[in-house]
Amino acid sequence: FNDLVYEQDWQTALEVLHSTNNFPEFTGRICPAPCEAACTLNIDDNPVAIKAIERSIIDKAWEQGWVKPQVPLRRTGKKIAVVGSGPAGLACAQQLARAGHMVSLYEKEDRIGGLLRYGIPDFKLSKTLIDRRMGQMRAEGVEFHTHCHIGVDIPVSQLTADYDALVLAGGSEKPRDLDVPGRSFNGIHFAMDFLRANSKR
């Protein structure tokens, strides 16, 4: 897609980018871009700015109206439940819906997005970007269910009875504690606890 942008073929660049990345507007904003630091052109401080190019492609695509729902021509009749609405769950649900399956996405929080929604501050990722993709996914047939803590509010047995397949795409919420001087002081919090509380506020 880098070369296609160079050749000014933005629509084909979008197709290539989307072939491996469902949500380049997310990665183009929050990825730490280790590929740029590892780029051999970085020898003279002029690496390929892959992250910026990704973001430029998808931002231009949305502006031009090139990003449209990809509704399957026919349905398989299979019902699939995806548990967890972070980036993995969202991408999985979208790919399954495009393959023709009926997909229900379950999230225990009050909004879809997982750590995209509650773990990343707004200045790094506007939540309107998540909502925009949700609109596309709804049009593709994905059903969203919030306030559904699987294994607590809804037994797993209910999902296995109601669906042909079950995808577990929940993230790890167990923080890694550090045994360092000062760890026991007041006011020391795990990052995700702080970010989640701040985002909800």
Side-chain angles (χ1 to χ4, degrees):
F1 60 75
N2 295 326
D3 187 57
L4 289 163
V5 168
Y6 175 76
E7 297 291 343
Q8 296 294 303
D9 188 353
W10 290 85
Q11 284 186 273
T12 307
L14 175 68
E15 290 175 26
V16 171
L17 181 56
H18 266 155
S19 71
T20 59
N21 187 341
N22 286 64
F23 312 117
E25 64 268 43
F26 304 161
T27 56
R29 285 172 169 80
I30 62 175
C31 176
C35 55
E36 293 181 19
C39 179
T40 55
L41 295 176
N42 200 30
I43 292 169
D44 65 354
D45 292 326
N46 192 27
V48 176
I50 297 171
K51 179 178 171 179
I53 294 169
E54 271 189 28
R55 181 174 173 173
S56 297
I57 292 168
I58 192 62
D59 287 353
K60 184 179 186 74
W62 280 106
E63 288 168 13
Q64 297 296 321
W66 299 335
V67 182
K68 299 189 182 322
Q70 296 178 31
V71 181
L73 295 176
R74 49 185 187 274
R75 296 286 178 185
T76 64
K78 299 290 186 185
K79 293 172 56 182
I80 302 175
V82 178
V83 179
S85 72
L90 287 170
C92 179
Q94 187 171 57
Q95 291 299 111
L96 290 168
R98 289 176 177 180
H101 306 306
M102 299 305 296
V103 181
S104 294
L105 185 61
Y106 289 90
E107 170 58 50
K108 70 179 180 181
E109 296 289 350
D110 59 342
R111 294 191 184 178
I112 296 294
L115 293 183
L116 286 172
R117 174 84 59 184
Y118 290 121
I120 298 169
D122 284 352
F123 74 89
K124 286 190 73 83
L125 181 70
S126 170
K127 303 317 179 265
T128 59
L129 301 178
I130 302 170
D131 297 336
R132 181 170 64 183
R133 278 296 183 174
M134 286 175 61
Q136 179 193 34
M137 292 173 67
R138 275 193 187 95
E140 293 170 346
V142 176
E143 292 183 357
F144 296 99
H145 304 276
T146 56
H147 295 289
C148 295
H149 194 169
I150 305 304
V152 177
D153 304 323
I154 299 172
V156 175
S157 58
Q158 182 179 328
L159 292 186
T160 56
D162 293 345
Y163 294 91
D164 297 293
L166 176 60
V167 177
L168 301 178
S172 172
E173 295 184 354
K174 182 178 180 183
R176 183 178 61 132
D177 208 348
L178 297 175
D179 185 17
V180 295
R183 174 64 185 95
S184 61
F185 292 171
N186 289 333
I188 305 295
H189 304 279
F190 289 116
M192 288 312 307
D193 294 341
F194 171 78
L195 287 168
R196 190 179 292 112
N198 187 59
S199 293
K200 286 190 174 186
R201 184 176 301 116

